[in-house]
Every structure is written in structure tokens, then in C-alpha cells.
Amino acid sequence: MRISVSLGLWQDRPPTEVVQTARLADAGSFAELWIGEMATYDVFALATAVAAATQRIPLVLGPLPVTVRDPMMIAMGVASVASLTGRLASVALGTSSPLVVERWHGRSRARAAKALQESATAVKALLAGEKPHLDGEVVSTSGFRLRTPAPGGDLTIAAFGPASVRVAARHAERMVLNLVGPATAADLVALVEKEAAVAGRPRPRVALWAPAALDPGEAAWAQLRAGLVGYLAAPGYAEMFEREGFGELVALARSGAHPREILGKVGTNVPAAVGLVGDRATLAAKAADYQAAGIDDELVVVPSSTVDDEGGARTLAAMSEISDQFSVATSG
């Protein structure tokens, strides 16, 4: 299991701080840098800026919401980053949340699993330099081929429930999970293995995103707790939090309660259950638990960033040392 980094895009921090986090990831013993998209920067613009500010680290863009971006937009964006920066760049696809898709973008999230399946087919072909013709039930594309060099690279699918796991099993080289503890991760690894066998394919490698904070103080705990509120009622995530034992929180979030009321019920046990939070020994032990659960590709840490740990510097230093230890153990 490799250890990688995802930019936190924390809404309570200066937006440009993500470039500092990227430099720290580039300097550490990390395999890849994942760059998502929230409410600040366009993902392709940010990836280009990050590549200019770093030296070597490969980039994973996404998960990008297939209910907002069409296959041509995704493929052209990834290929543009790879061509303009000379950096290895691959893509992850997902379905995003009703807040982002329906409220922010004003798009429909209906049949999101079908859109994910069809987009995976088209994006994979486009990134291989092909000219696909897809007249799908939700997604279509015809007649376009990249004019820049095809970046290739593995396709990653962000999976939550059975439908997206099935898509990953049939179309992806890698599946990525988010905000689950080791036990739930093990269940989802078993599910994708079963679905891949049905499809007659090798099981995709499995990666996992997890929030991380070394010796968190009050600011870090507040940030981690607040960062989970928007996920508690989101499709897919809600079911994962229920499996982690937080059914009452999910029910409260689904009831339409105000975010402040929900936040008041989110204890430190919630981020601790789905992340790496605590002293260095705790971080290392939780990483080992995820590896034992079947996370065989990457553990992607999302470092907390506060006034006490700007850019996640202390957390990333500890995780870099842990990454080195995993590498030594694997080579041994």
C-alpha cells in the first residue's frame, strides 16, 4: 500500500494554501497528489498551477462529477494538464452530491449510476486516443478525438453503494473509497471482488481517502467535524456512515435539520472513525488497519490545515515517515 495526499480544499482556510500543501506532498515520500474540486478553483486550472509549483509528483484529477462534466470536457481537461505541464495525470470519476449537482449546477442527478457507467466507457476511450461513439441512455459523445497527446493512465471510479461498486468492477483499474473505517472498507473490497468475478475481470486495485491530523488541537477537531456535516445525508455517504454506527446522525441530517444543529451532534469520534487522527502511533496503526482491510493500492490522506498546522505540514511530515516505513516493510 502506497501513501498519497489529497488537497483538503478546506473552506475555513485561504484558498491558495492548497499550493503549500502540494509542495509539502511533492517533497515527501508520497506516491501521488489528488486534486479535487469544491467551491474555489477549477480543477484543471489548479492542477496546472500545482504542477508549476512542484517538481515530480504525479497528479490524479478528481473524482470529477459525471453529472456535471461530459466525457469530452473531462478528457480534454486531463489531456491539457498533462500536455502543458509534462506531468503524469490520470482521472477519477464520481457522481458527486445533490448539493453540488442539483443546487449549485442546476443539473439533474437522476440515473447517476448509469451516467457513471457510460462516462467511464467514453472517458477511458478518449484518454487512450480513440474516437468513441457512444449513444447512451444518459451520456453521449461522437466524433471527437484528442488533438493533444493522449495521456492514457488508469481510470479510477469513486464508489459508495452497490451500483457504483459494480461500475468500478466492470470499467476501472482502480476504485477509490472515501470516509469509511477499516471494517466497511473490507466489506466494499469484498463486494468489488465479487462483482469483478461476475464480470470476468481482475479486481480493480483499491484506494481510500481519509482525513488526517497529527495531535489535533481544538481548531483541527472543529475543522474535521465541520467537514463531515455535508456528507451525512448525501447518497452513498449516508449509507457508509450508517454502517459505521452513526445512524442517528444520518437520520438527523436527512430530516432537514440546520447544519449548525447537525454539527453540534458530530463528536470527535466521527472523524476518528473514518480517518487518521491522533498521535503518530495512532496514525501508523490506522494506516496498517486499512492495509489489512484490503486497501492494496493507496491510502490517500487529506491533511487538516489550521493555524497550528498550516498546509498540514506536521501531519504530512508524520505521514511521510509512515510512508517510508510501509515501503521498507514491502521491500523487505
Side-chain angles (χ1 to χ4, degrees), residues 7 16 28 35 51 75 137 168 176 207 224 241 264 285 315 323 330:
L7 300 182
T16 55
I35 303 175
E137 298 176 29
V176 64
L224 294 172
F241 278 109
T315 297
S323 177
T330 300

Side-chain angles (χ1 to χ4, degrees), residues 30-227:
F30 298 110
E32 293 183 312
L33 180 66
W34 294 57
I35 303 175
E37 188 174 73
M38 280 290 290
T40 50
Y41 298 117
D42 169 85
V43 64
F44 303 122
L46 178 56
T48 303
V50 162
T54 57
Q55 298 296 318
R56 57 92 197 167
I57 195 164
L59 308 176
V60 184
L61 310 186
L64 304 182
V66 298
T67 42
V68 172
R69 293 185 184 269
D70 63 59
M72 178 184 165
M73 292 171 64
I74 293 170
M76 183 181 287
V78 176
S80 296
V81 171
S83 176
L84 292 170
T85 68
R87 194 66 59 85
L88 292 174
S90 61
V91 68
L93 304 179
T95 57
S96 195
S97 67
L99 170 66
V100 172
V101 176
E102 297 173 354
R103 294 179 58 186
W104 289 5
H105 287 278
R107 303 284 185 90
S108 172
R109 201 177 173 277
R111 308 192 70 187
K114 175 59 72 172
L116 185 61
Q117 173 198 326
E118 294 175 350
S119 294
T121 300
V123 168
K124 193 169 183 177
L126 287 166
L127 292 178
E130 300 172 9
K131 186 192 289 186
H133 174 77
L134 174 67
D135 185 16
E137 298 176 29
V138 183
V139 174
S140 63
T141 183
S142 181
F144 176 75
R145 177 183 285 128
L146 290 172
R147 272 57 169 181
T148 54
D154 290 345
L155 177 69
T156 300
I157 296 292
F160 308 101
S164 55
V165 170
R166 193 172 303 116
V167 173
R170 284 160 171 73
H171 297 278
E173 285 74 45
R174 175 168 60 180
M175 178 176 79
V176 64
L177 309 173
N178 186 26
L179 297 178
V180 297
T184 299
D187 291 343
L188 292 169
V189 170
L191 179 59
V192 75
E193 185 162 1
K194 176 182 176 181
E195 292 290 350
V198 171
R201 295 184 72 228
R203 173 175 71 76
R205 306 185 313 276
V206 184
L208 180 140
W209 279 21
L214 175 69
D215 297 326
E218 184 176 342
W221 279 120
Q223 183 181 74
L224 294 172
R225 290 170 53 242

Side-chain angles (χ1 to χ4, degrees), residues 12-30:
D12 60 343
R13 298 296 296 167
T16 55
E17 191 174 62
V18 294
V19 178
Q20 178 184 351
T21 302
R23 290 194 185 102
L24 293 166
D26 186 57
S29 300
F30 298 110

